[in-house]
Amino acid sequence: MTMTTHTAPASTNITTSGSRLPVYFISHGGGPWPWMPQMHDYYAQLAASLADIPRQIGRTPRAILMVSAHWEADSFTVQSTPQPGMIYDYGGFPAHTYQIHYRSPGSPALAERVAGLLAQAGIAVEQDAERGYDHGMFSPMAAIYPEAQVPVVQLSLRRGLDPAEHLALGRALAALRDEEVLIIGSGLSYHNLRAFGPQASVPSKAFDDWLAETMLQVDSASRSQRLLDWEDAPAARIAHPREEHLLPLMVAVGAAEADRAVRIYHEDAFMGGLAVSSYRLDAA
């Protein structure tokens, strides 16, 4: 693994546009589901919500910065390879799902810009020139941009999984929205692999209702504080025994902290019983 520590702000050659792009927190689904026809009925609503994102944006972004629940590092680390490979970070799926490729290019220029923004904010950051795409990236991107025409750069979570650090990370990245970079937090609003199906109906709904109230009904300052105190939510540790799938939401909210949220996807009985949701944040 090739790592570069970044300690000084970097200049950017990314131009700005007249309106800010929104920010998304999406549920990315399980494993390589877009490549499994037998799963398409289960994922129909999620797939439709992801496929609608380009229409919602109204233009093609210059690049995408993706914060996936499936990458943790000791410091926030940005992927800087120009052509990332694939990481098949799942098990027990059909053989062909270990041969799939999502061939979007990376963007070393965006990686450098991200590193500069974080360094400017006093956040330690490294670059990784070898890391490939994980399924938290390529599964939803197969639905959002199936032609893989938009460069995508992944940014890690930081081990320790401190909500405040990830909210601050989002704040540091907010300027990218004016530079035609789409920020996507890719996780799941419910992630407990030991409590799936009908047994998860009540706890997932309790947490999902709290999340909807937090995202849709309170002012921005209260929203941030409620997210920092997420463990106080109903069924919080049932919904997220480990919070790596929730933290991409913290990054998304930090990057759009004053903006309103809209729920773009919701199911009450996903995979037989789960209440799950995805959100867009923008100023409109």
Side-chain angles (χ1 to χ4, degrees):
M1 179 181 295
T2 302
M3 304 288 263
T4 302
T5 300
H6 199 101
T7 57
S11 61
T12 177
N13 59 3
I14 301 175
T15 58
T16 61
S17 69
S19 61
R20 307 194 97 186
L21 283 170
V23 178
Y24 286 85
F25 170 69
I26 59 171
S27 288
H28 60 236
W33 61 268
W35 289 269
M36 298 175 62
Q38 65 269 38
M39 300 298 292
H40 286 183
D41 287 347
Y42 289 106
Y43 282 96
Q45 286 184 242
L46 177 60
S49 75
L50 295 171
D52 193 51
I53 287 175
R55 182 199 63 81
Q56 295 172 22
I57 298 169
R59 61 191 189 271
T60 302
R62 185 181 301 271
I64 292 171
L65 181 66
M66 174 80 76
V67 180
S68 165
H70 291 278
W71 186 14
E72 299 175 35
D74 290 336
S75 297
F76 290 118
T77 303
V78 61
Q79 179 188 57
S80 60
T81 178
Q83 194 64 59
M86 302 287 285
I87 299 174
Y88 304 115
D89 54 342
Y90 40 74
F93 289 91
H96 76 273
T97 65
Y98 299 89
Q99 303 296 324
I100 60 179
H101 293 277
Y102 185 82
R103 298 190 183 279
S104 65
S107 175
L110 176 57
E112 186 70 12
R113 174 60 171 154
V114 169
L117 286 171
L118 298 191
Q120 188 175 27
I123 298 172
V125 58
E126 294 183 341
Q127 296 187 45
D128 187 334
E130 297 180 7
R131 216 255 182 196
Y133 292 137
D134 60 58
H135 85 268
M137 177 278 185
F138 61 75
S139 288
M141 287 304 301
I144 299 171
Y145 287 113
E147 300 301 317
Q149 72 271 35
V150 179
V152 182
V153 169
Q154 285 197 230
L155 175 63
S156 78
L157 304 175
R158 184 176 181 274
R159 291 196 180 100
L161 305 180
D162 184 341
E165 289 185 348
H166 291 80
L167 194 69
L169 174 69
R171 291 172 182 143
L173 296 170
L176 295 175
R177 299 175 61 196
D178 298 313
E179 300 170 5
E180 290 298 292
V181 176
L182 181 66
I183 299 171
I184 299 178
S186 175
L188 289 167
S189 59
Y190 178 93
H191 191 257
N192 184 344
L193 300 182
R194 295 177 180 269
F196 243 57
Q199 65 174 316
S201 177
V202 172
S204 68
K205 185 179 187 307
F207 186 79
D208 194 74
D209 286 349
W210 173 87
L211 189 60
E213 180 182 323
T214 298
M215 294 298 292
L216 304 175
Q217 297 181 26
V218 303
D219 62 83
S220 59
S222 298
R223 178 176 67 194
S224 294
Q225 189 58 53
R226 282 167 65 102
L227 289 174
L228 291 175
D229 298 332
W230 74 273
E231 288 181 275
D232 296 333
R237 280 299 180 185
I238 299 175
H240 293 281
R242 192 173 184 274
E243 54 266 46
E244 80 285 348
H245 276 72
L246 185 64
L247 287 183
L249 173 63
M250 313 295 181
V251 182
V253 169
E257 201 162 17
D259 290 355
R260 66 155 194 172
V262 176
R263 187 159 63 177
I264 63 165
Y265 163 69
H266 175 72
E267 291 189 60
D268 283 321
F270 176 67
M271 298 298 287
L274 304 182
V276 290
S277 298
S278 298
Y279 293 91
R280 183 183 76 242
L281 297 105
D282 56 31

